Amino acid sequence: VETGNTEHTWQCIPWAHEDFQQADTENLSRWKWRRTSSKSFKKALSEVKGLSSYLVLWRHDIHSIEGKFGTGIQSYFSFLRFLVLLNFIIFILMFSVVILPTIMYKYGIFNSTSAYISPKNIEDVCTIYEPSGNKGLVYFFTYLKDLLSGTGFLEVTSLFYGYYSIDATWLSVKYNLPLAYLLATFIYLALSFIWIIKRSVEGFKQNLVHDADPFQSYSNKVFAGWDFCITDPSAARLKHRSLQYEIQTDLQEEKLKQKIAERTMEEKLRIYSLRIFINIIVIAILSGCFYSIYRVTAFSQENSSVSIRNDTRTELVNLLVQYLPSMVITLANFIGPLIFSFLIGFEDYTPAFEIKLTLLRCVFVRLANIGVLLFSLWSQISSCGSDKCKPCGYNYKLYPCWESDVGQEMYKLMIFDFIIIIAVALFVDFPRKLLVTHCSCKLVQWFGYREFVISDNVLEIIYGQTICWIGTFFSPFLPAIATIKYFIIFYVKKIVLIHTCKPAARPVRASSSNFFFLVVLLIGLLLAFVPLGVSIAHIPSSKACGPFRNFNTSWEVIPVTVLGFPTPLPQIVFGMASEAFAVPFFVILCIIMFCVIALAQAHKRVIEQLREQLVLMSRDKIFLSRKIAEPEELDFIKFPEQQDNSRSICSS
Amino acid sequence: MGNKQTIFTQEQLDAYQDCTFFTRKEILRLFYRYRDLAPQLVPLDYSDKPAVTLPYELIGSMPELKDNPFRQRIAEVFSEHGDGNMTLDDFLDMFSVLSEMAPRDLKAYYAFKIYDFNNDDYICKSDLEKTVNKLTRNELTPEEVSLVCEKVIYEADVDNDGKLSLADFQHMIIRAPDFLRPHSCWAQLHAEDLYSLIVTPTDI
């Protein structure tokens, strides 16, 4: 039997040692040389790959998790590793561009000088900003409180925006700090965007190939499903279970599709009205969450003023009030998904769509909560009752340095998120495991061991990453905190997984998970653009602190810099930003998009035609092989139409 | 490289190198794996081509195969008489085809033989039912198994005879995404995994 065009022909299997001496020695030696040289090249390549894989962070841990718990959970940990690296790179960027020059000036290293341009055309009252770092004798508790809420001694450090109040430094060349700050922000957003898109393209291609060939899904699972590398009995059990679950899900979906196709008119009406009703409930719940977050933030901002620093109890209450928004958000993030997964049972969708819709709703809850928090902060900052804002454009009495305040809120959210993750691991997961192991009460046994639910964990870390993206503009050290936080979370989650979780009853595949994680992360990033855009371009920057004191808004740095370029450039740049250029550009983009879509549809049609041709070709092969095998049947015309077809294909 | 080993003649080693995808070192290491399964049966001198056959139970207990649901079929396909008892030639043959260096077409050919339980050169519905049951360890109901087999035949049977011939199977498996993935472990026992379980003799 032919095996195609390979060098390793059938004569060797089964072996004929005696034939070896009779073979053509010359041909054989040339063939041997070709093979050994290609083999040694391949070996060298695999050695290099092997060495470089040692540099990959946590390679061994993730590999062992994959073996024991499956590829779905392994993709969660790979995703976590990706976020650690991303945050580290963002921190390196902010450090080298923004933090380092400022620190070099403030400590007088390398004889750097700086310029402080006093703001023109701004009333003096806007520039008063006296953050109280801790002076004199204070309780240790005050330091702890300041560490947790970013006030007091932390407010004046380089952690927050307010520290970077210099306009330019000179090292040997003038270094424009405001421009550098703004550009660093844009660069880290663009870098995150490009990196996520690049990673998701691979997953997208795989998904497309997988979905494009739905007629081979069963054969693929049955014949190519088993992983021959498995040498661990628990991994084998997991693989058996995941194959079983996949096949059962596919069969279920088929049955459901048939059921849906057979629905009568009144059943359809009933189901659609039920779905609309449930969606209204979902929207009501979401509005409830948003409104409560809005009120709580307003309350927290109004009541967290600096109190008498001697009373520990009021200090504690003060701390709690400061953390109130974070607590409410965490509560909403916890309750929302529970309610959604309960409600979706009534809506009668296919299982795959159910999972997707619930996840979409949970994602929306988590990310919108951050948006509502920021929105309520801004309404506080710009609340201009009775002329409070007229001189400066924002509420200068309560928020002389409003960017630092926003930075503090983001910092608190991040710290609280971290505390919650560790607290849940310590005080919920381990006690639960101890309880289930040692108590044989029926209720406890029904509760059972915890299952590692990938989607909840992923949404948790995406929520944290969105906070980091928004907060880095207001607090340049936040990426470093995020890196350390995710680093520790990796080990915490790994320990929780190995010691307290049972293997999943429904193992999930990696390829669909990877793409989904990256899509949701992208949604988080795009959502992070909105608050940043509003802060940079719309709200006037604070005149009392920060690098943008001399500008109306933070964005103004760029037009001012562009105007400073030599003569032809400003006109070109402003021309590109005007409507005369933007509208034709947009029209051309639309035309290109239509062309690409038309091309894709043409390709699809060609693929369909080729598939049909394949089927016909194989039938012709059978017919021809029968002709060759039984020449007497030449007179027997079994397939008259196909005979004509075969003649035309053979002769062409 | 000195000729320090005394197990095979030079011609035998060259023949093995040509007929499998292994290098000289790998072949010797595999020989020691084979011998470790039953040291009292396998002599250390193969130059006179002794007719030594190891029973299937020993082969099936190897770490690479013991969790594989198709280990019995694999041993039967590669054994000389189709009963699962393997000589050294069969053993090397098997690992050669299962290694990462074997081309896809070769693996597809052997995959067909492995899944063809009744050895009639066709994968018919009963073969498929046995395959599915081995994959899911009999956890599916008989109707589910039957449905899956019908679907597989519907998807892959191009010549419409109700069973899969070698051509149908090859046509389908080459395009299966899991078979195509470069890091897929379908029939890919990495050479390093084989080494990790050997006590290597000094300086071959």
Side-chain angles (χ1 to χ4, degrees):
Chain A
V1 182
E2 249 191 306
T3 57
N5 42 348
T6 64
E7 294 178 329
H8 313 287
T9 56
W10 287 120
Q11 282 94 32
C12 274
I13 300 153
W15 297 332
H17 302 151
E18 304 78 29
D19 299 340
F20 171 65
Q21 274 101 26
Q22 297 157 14
D24 186 10
T25 358
E26 212 184 83
N27 264 344
L28 219 56
S29 55
R30 228 186 304 138
W31 180 62
K32 258 200 302 191
W33 176 85
R34 252 188 297 154
R35 235 196 39 189
T36 43
S37 61
S38 75
K39 259 210 274 191
S40 46
F41 175 68
K42 271 189 204 156
K43 260 213 152 149
L45 210 66
S46 63
E47 295 254 332
V48 168
K49 266 194 203 157
L51 283 173
S52 65
S53 70
Y54 280 113
L55 296 170
V56 173
L57 185 66
W58 292 320
R59 176 178 150 268
H60 179 69
D61 295 290
I62 295 185
H63 202 62
S64 66
I65 289 175
E66 178 179 5
K68 292 207 197 95
F69 293 96
T71 46
I73 293 185
Q74 174 256 339
S75 60
Y76 167 77
F77 284 93
S78 305
F79 185 64
L80 202 51
R81 173 175 61 187
F82 165 62
L83 284 181
V84 168
L85 289 172
L86 181 67
N87 282 316
F88 186 64
I89 303 260
I90 294 178
F91 174 64
I92 298 279
L93 176 72
M94 289 302 274
F95 184 76
S96 49
V97 171
V98 171
I99 302 178
L100 200 58
T102 316
I103 291 184
M104 280 194 340
Y105 158 66
K106 298 248 172 166
Y107 289 96
I109 309 174
F110 295 132
N111 290 335
S112 50
T113 47
S114 90
Y116 177 88
I117 307 165
S118 54
K120 336 161 201 142
N121 305 331
I122 296 169
E123 303 208 7
D124 280 332
V125 70
C126 298
T127 60
I128 302 173
Y129 174 53
E130 284 152 20
S132 49
N134 282 329
K135 301 183 184 89
L137 225 55
V138 286
Y139 286 115
F140 177 73
F141 179 74
T142 324
Y143 280 114
L144 195 63
K145 169 183 172 290
D146 289 336
L147 196 70
L148 284 176
S149 58
T151 49
F153 79 96
L154 266 189
E155 195 170 337
V156 295
T157 59
S158 56
L159 182 58
F160 292 114
Y161 177 93
Y163 183 77
Y164 301 92
S165 300
I166 47 180
D167 298 294
T169 72
W170 272 275
L171 213 46
S172 38
V173 177
K174 177 178 176 199
Y175 186 76
N176 190 346
L177 190 71
L179 186 65
Y181 199 105
L182 198 62
L183 284 182
T185 308
F186 292 154
I187 290 176
Y188 84 70
L189 288 172
L191 178 75
S192 309
F193 187 68
I194 293 173
W195 201 345
I196 294 174
I197 296 251
K198 181 171 156 300
R199 272 179 83 105
S200 57
V201 157
E202 291 145 18
F204 180 67
K205 279 191 216 158
Q206 249 190 5
N207 255 11
L208 207 63
V209 166
H210 211 254
D211 291 339
D213 239 350
F215 69 59
Q216 273 219 344
S217 60
Y218 285 96
S219 328
N220 181 43
K221 287 194 184 87
V222 169
F223 292 125
W226 182 259
D227 184 350
F228 275 49
C229 288
I230 291 177
T231 52
D232 186 28
S234 58
R237 242 176 309 164
L238 187 72
K239 190 75 187 175
H240 280 296
R241 223 178 335 188
S242 74
L243 277 170
Q244 174 200 334
Y245 172 63
E246 277 188 32
I247 294 179
Q248 277 174 332
T249 323
D250 281 343
L251 288 173
Q252 248 184 342
E253 292 235 6
E254 286 251 353
K255 249 194 267 179
L256 214 61
K257 276 197 197 133
Q258 257 191 334
K259 208 181 87 170
I260 289 176
E262 289 166 7
R263 275 203 195 126
T264 64
M265 200 52 185
E266 58 177 43
E267 268 183 26
K268 275 194 200 164
L269 216 63
R270 186 184 67 89
I271 286 198
Y272 286 142
S273 50
L274 188 62
R275 284 182 191 167
I276 292 176
F277 177 63
I278 289 185
N279 277 313
I280 292 178
I281 296 182
V282 165
I283 293 177
I285 294 175
L286 286 175
S287 329
C289 285
F290 295 161
Y291 181 69
S292 51
I293 293 173
Y294 179 77
R295 293 292 308 164
V296 163
T297 313
F299 174 76
S300 157
Q301 288 291 313
E302 281 160 20
N303 292 332
S304 62
S305 48
V306 176
S307 55
I308 318 161
R309 280 173 172 273
N310 294 337
D311 191 348
T312 313
R313 200 146 44 99
T314 50
E315 292 278 337
L316 198 60
V317 168
N318 205 353
L319 187 65
L320 278 176
V321 166
Q322 292 222 358
Y323 265 89
L324 213 51
S326 319
M327 292 194 233
V328 171
I329 289 183
T330 308
L331 204 64
N333 286 345
F334 176 68
I335 294 182
L338 283 178
I339 299 182
F340 293 150
S341 48
F342 171 70
L343 282 177
I344 198 121
F346 297 110
E347 291 184 81
D348 204 14
Y349 290 117
T350 59
F353 189 73
E354 258 188 28
I355 297 176
K356 284 194 190 127
L357 192 59
T358 319
L359 282 167
L360 228 65
R361 286 178 178 157
C362 297
V363 162
F364 183 68
V365 160
R366 282 184 184 256
L367 297 179
N369 281 341
I370 308 177
V372 171
L373 173 74
L374 287 167
F375 173 74
S376 71
L377 270 178
W378 282 320
S379 56
Q380 295 275 306
I381 291 170
S382 334
S383 70
C384 301
S386 66
D387 261 0
K388 267 195 246 164
C389 305
K390 209 160 131 224
C392 319
Y394 55 90
N395 193 340
Y396 65 90
K397 281 227 178 82
L398 283 177
Y399 303 105
C401 190
W402 63 265
E403 285 101 339
S404 282
D405 276 311
V406 178
Q408 280 168 355
E409 285 297 328
M410 295 291 112
Y411 173 77
K412 277 186 269 185
L413 276 179
M414 181 159 277
I415 298 282
F416 191 69
D417 189 38
F418 184 46
I419 291 175
I420 287 287
I421 291 180
I422 298 203
V424 165
L426 275 180
F427 300 122
V428 175
D429 292 328
F430 277 100
R432 178 171 171 175
K433 182 195 175 193
L434 286 173
L435 211 60
V436 175
T437 324
H438 296 294
C439 169
S440 47
C441 145
K442 234 190 182 175
L443 186 67
V444 168
Q445 289 301 322
W446 171 79
F447 217 40
Y449 286 112
R450 181 187 163 174
E451 207 181 284
F452 193 89
V453 182
I454 302 177
S455 49
D456 286 345
N457 285 295
V458 165
L459 288 180
E460 216 171 44
I461 56 181
I462 289 180
Y463 164 75
Q465 184 59 38
T466 311
I467 295 175
C468 178
W469 274 322
I470 298 176
T472 303
F473 177 73
F474 304 104
S475 164
F477 262 99
L478 220 56
I481 300 176
T483 309
I484 298 173
K485 171 185 165 194
Y486 286 138
F487 195 85
I488 296 178
I489 287 180
F490 182 92
Y491 288 107
V492 168
K493 289 284 177 189
K494 181 174 168 227
I495 294 173
V496 165
L497 176 71
I498 293 179
H499 293 283
T500 66
C501 291
K502 63 175 178 195
R506 306 167 161 200
V508 173
R509 259 194 162 196
S511 51
S512 50
S513 321
N514 270 334
F515 182 60
F516 161 71
F517 298 164
L518 291 166
V519 164
V520 179
L521 193 63
L522 201 62
I523 295 177
L525 178 64
L526 293 175
L527 238 80
F529 283 163
V530 173
L532 279 177
V534 172
S535 303
I536 291 176
H538 184 69
I539 302 184
S541 53
S542 45
K543 306 292 177 285
C545 64
F548 302 109
R549 279 169 319 184
N550 292 319
F551 306 97
N552 279 336
T553 62
S554 313
W555 168 257
E556 221 184 66
V557 179
I558 298 206
V560 165
T561 319
V562 167
L563 279 173
F565 287 159
T567 349
L569 247 57
Q571 280 90 345
I572 298 177
V573 173
F574 286 129
M576 275 181 22
S578 69
E579 292 90 3
F581 177 79
V583 171
F585 184 64
F586 180 68
V587 168
I588 292 176
L589 273 182
C590 284
I591 293 177
I592 295 178
M593 196 175 71
F594 285 137
C595 287
V596 169
I597 291 178
L599 202 64
Q601 282 176 341
H603 279 307
K604 241 196 219 174
R605 243 178 299 141
V606 169
I607 290 175
E608 291 293 327
Q609 283 180 351
L610 285 173
R611 275 202 196 129
E612 284 170 29
Q613 271 201 11
L614 268 175
V615 175
L616 286 176
M617 290 260 247
S618 55
R619 288 218 215 131
D620 297 338
K621 249 198 267 180
I622 302 291
F623 175 71
L624 288 173
S625 60
R626 279 205 197 124
K627 258 192 167 181
I628 295 171
E630 290 145 35
E632 314 89 56
E633 294 204 357
L634 262 177
D635 307 332
F636 231 119
I637 301 176
K638 280 190 180 158
F639 305 106
E641 323 83 33
Q642 270 158 355
Q643 198 175 19
D644 292 330
N645 274 350
S646 70
R647 251 193 237 124
S648 61
I649 289 173
C650 287
S651 57
S652 62
Chain B
M1 265 234 206
N3 234 353
K4 292 191 194 141
Q5 58 86 25
T6 50
I7 311 168
F8 301 108
T9 64
Q10 190 52 39
E11 290 85 18
Q12 279 179 316
L13 263 185
D14 288 339
Y16 281 139
Q17 281 188 75
D18 289 330
C19 292
T20 67
F21 302 102
F22 293 124
T23 62
R24 193 168 164 270
K25 251 192 180 174
E26 290 163 347
I27 292 172
L28 289 166
R29 282 180 172 169
L30 276 169
F31 169 76
Y32 283 110
R33 286 296 303 280
Y34 185 72
R35 186 159 188 276
D36 282 339
L37 292 172
Q40 68 280 18
L41 287 177
V42 178
L44 270 170
D45 186 2
Y46 251 72
S47 44
D48 52 354
K49 299 183 202 145
V52 174
T53 307
L54 289 188
Y56 162 68
E57 290 73 30
L58 290 174
I59 307 281
S61 66
M62 290 182 71
E64 290 84 356
L65 290 178
K66 73 171 165 47
D67 290 310
N68 193 322
F70 300 110
R71 58 186 175 280
Q72 180 147 22
R73 277 303 298 163
I74 295 174
E76 284 169 11
V77 161
F78 286 99
S79 64
E80 218 171 298
H81 302 293
D83 53 1
N85 305 327
M86 299 177 84
T87 65
L88 178 65
D89 290 357
D90 302 331
F91 188 79
L92 287 172
D93 201 1
M94 173 175 78
F95 276 107
S96 165
V97 171
L98 291 182
S99 77
E100 54 197 348
M101 296 166 283
R104 275 205 304 260
D105 303 329
L106 189 61
K107 287 184 196 276
Y109 173 75
Y110 275 98
F112 181 77
K113 291 181 81 172
I114 289 171
Y115 293 128
D116 181 12
F117 281 76
N118 49 14
N119 288 321
D120 61 351
D121 291 331
Y122 286 100
I123 297 181
C124 56
K125 193 165 179 208
S126 64
D127 293 332
L128 278 175
E129 282 175 357
K130 291 204 194 87
T131 306
V132 174
N133 276 323
K134 276 207 194 290
L135 271 180
T136 58
R137 290 208 287 202
N138 300 312
E139 295 275 347
L140 293 180
T141 67
E143 307 112 32
E144 284 173 340
V145 172
S146 166
L147 259 175
V148 172
C149 297
E150 276 165 24
K151 287 219 166 287
V152 171
I153 293 181
Y154 173 74
E155 283 172 2
D157 187 17
V158 178
D159 52 12
N160 279 330
D161 56 359
K163 46 195 179 171
L164 304 184
S165 62
L166 176 62
D168 295 333
F169 183 80
Q170 279 183 325
H171 175 245
M172 179 272 299
I173 199 79
I174 297 292
R175 294 188 298 147
D178 285 341
F179 199 77
L180 284 178
R181 266 190 296 143
H183 302 296
S184 150
C185 263
W186 199 94
Q188 261 187 22
L189 294 177
H190 297 285
E192 307 91 60
D193 295 333
L194 293 173
Y195 301 163
S196 60
L197 299 159
I198 310 170
V199 173
T200 51
T202 51
D203 212 29
I204 298 172

